[in-house]
Amino acid sequence: MPPSPRAPRTDAEVPAYWRGLGLPGLADIHVHFLPEPMLAKVWAYFDEAAQHYGQPWPIHYRDDEPTRLATLRALGVRAIPSLTYPHKPGMVQWLNDWCADFAARVPDAVHSATLYPEPGVGDLVERALAGGARLFKMHVQVGRYAPDDPLLDPGWAALESAGVPVVLHAGSAPKDGEHTGPRPVEAVLERFPELVLVIAHLGMGEYDAFADIAERYPRVHLDTTMAGTDYANAFAPLPPAYVERLGGLADRVVLGSDFPNIPYPYAHQLEALDRLGLGDDWLRKVLWHNGARLLGLDEAGRAEVAPEGAASEVHGG
């Protein structure tokens, strides 16, 4: 289906788009800010995307941190995650400290954190929560670990108790890994059914299997990162019947973008969602209401209400 005439084609058109839907901005749960040495390595990896993925992946927002922050604010993103993720043991505390510093110096930051299957993970998660973390990130393919590794159980237990969302990249596209796919995620949820999981990229590569999980577990969400874009449709298109399922999951689909590590303008993600043809009410939930609920944002984008599933006071930064 073609996008509506008002769908944004350029970033400059994005604010008029969400205003036209009657929204106060965008609640994007999948944004990356990383320590500079790590960011340089991530961009270097994408520079070799033709080797890794079979097609180029030009970073569209290869700018310094102040410019990237200004870009998101101009687009209308009201709260800015950092979403770091380790690829080996011993990195978690360093990354969580960096995220805490980011949250302290960026007024509209979402205080983020991460975890990894290693001894002491429960203490690391508890420490991050006590310090104000209200969004966690995990990347199964990069970290090369199974999400149902028993070493992670103390971390999962702490996150389930806190009701703090975890953005989990576990799908097998654009590049699979030894532990990607829906089954290990379902094994986690069998042990921790109240986890607030956000499956990145709609579980790209296994769309329907991850939708099955979202339908079985009411606190599981799906983020839209890259889904439906021209770039992703080249290797993982959304089947028409699956698009209908997304309509039925309107309360559990949340905006994600992967900014700044995307090979097209931010506006194209919104255009891609618009052209699914699921209606304005669906778009309002996906672009703002669901993400705001997960992050505990008020209508101005401030972290003043309890996030999804929180058992007590908000873990605000």
Side-chain angles (χ1 to χ4, degrees):
M1 178 177 293
S4 66
R6 70 177 181 212
R9 273 71 173 182
T10 68
D11 285 358
E13 297 172 342
V14 167
Y17 180 67
W18 51 256
R19 288 191 186 104
L21 289 166
L23 298 177
L26 300 171
D28 187 342
I29 205 166
H30 197 140
V31 168
H32 293 285
F33 280 82
L34 308 175
E36 289 300 323
M38 176 176 284
L39 184 63
K41 291 179 180 178
V42 169
W43 285 351
Y45 183 88
F46 284 119
D47 286 342
E48 298 177 351
Q51 173 185 336
H52 300 304
Y53 301 127
Q55 62 186 40
W57 189 308
I59 301 295
H60 192 81
Y61 297 97
R62 196 186 292 261
D63 302 311
D64 60 24
E65 183 181 283
T67 302
R68 284 179 274 127
L69 288 168
T71 296
L72 286 172
R73 291 165 182 154
L75 288 164
V77 175
R78 296 297 183 222
I80 300 174
S82 45
L83 298 194
T84 63
Y85 44 91
H87 61 271
K88 62 182 179 180
M91 295 180 66
V92 167
Q93 190 60 60
W94 168 61
L95 290 173
N96 287 354
D97 287 346
W98 187 90
C99 287
D101 176 73
F102 181 82
R105 62 187 171 80
V106 176
D108 44 352
V110 177
H111 187 160
S112 308
T114 190
L115 63 155
Y116 191 86
E118 57 189 328
V121 63
D123 291 338
L124 290 169
V125 170
E126 292 282 9
R127 190 180 308 162
L129 290 169
R134 54 193 175 97
L135 180 66
F136 280 67
K137 166 69 174 177
M138 302 175 72
H139 200 308
V140 169
Q141 188 267 328
V142 170
R144 292 175 292 183
Y145 59 81
D148 59 342
D149 187 325
L151 277 171
L152 281 167
D153 282 0
W156 287 130
L159 289 164
E160 182 183 49
S161 177
V164 169
V166 184
V167 177
L168 175 65
H169 184 137
S172 299
K175 186 174 182 179
D176 63 358
E178 181 181 356
H179 304 292
T180 56
R183 182 59 199 137
V185 176
E186 189 152 24
V188 171
L189 289 162
E190 287 167 359
R191 301 204 293 271
F192 304 99
E194 298 301 310
L195 274 171
V196 184
L197 286 188
V198 182
I199 304 301
H201 303 271
L202 303 180
M204 189 177 290
E206 294 100 353
Y207 293 122
D208 280 297
F210 279 107
D212 290 343
I213 292 173
E215 289 171 351
R216 282 196 292 271
Y217 294 91
R219 290 187 173 179
V220 172
H221 296 67
L222 308 168
D223 91 32
T224 65
T225 301
M226 298 190 75
T229 63
D230 293 345
Y231 189 89
N233 282 344
F235 58 85
L238 299 176
Y242 176 78
V243 173
E244 294 181 15
R245 294 189 76 180
L246 285 182
L249 286 165
D251 292 325
R252 248 98 57 64
V253 180
V254 58
L255 175 64
S257 67
D258 234 352
F259 178 95
N261 305 324
I262 45 178
Y264 44 75
Y266 191 100
H268 181 52
Q269 179 68 78
L270 305 185
E271 181 187 21
L273 295 174
D274 185 289
R275 70 187 179 190
L276 295 179
L278 293 172
D280 287 0
D281 286 345
W282 186 87
L283 287 167
R284 291 185 188 102
K285 290 180 178 182
V286 171
L287 300 185
W288 176 257
H289 295 295
N290 296 341
R293 171 172 46 82
L294 285 169
L295 297 173
L297 306 179
D298 66 11
E299 285 299 301
R302 296 184 298 263
E304 292 187 350
V305 295
E308 174 80 12
S312 58
E313 67 185 42
V314 95
H315 295 286

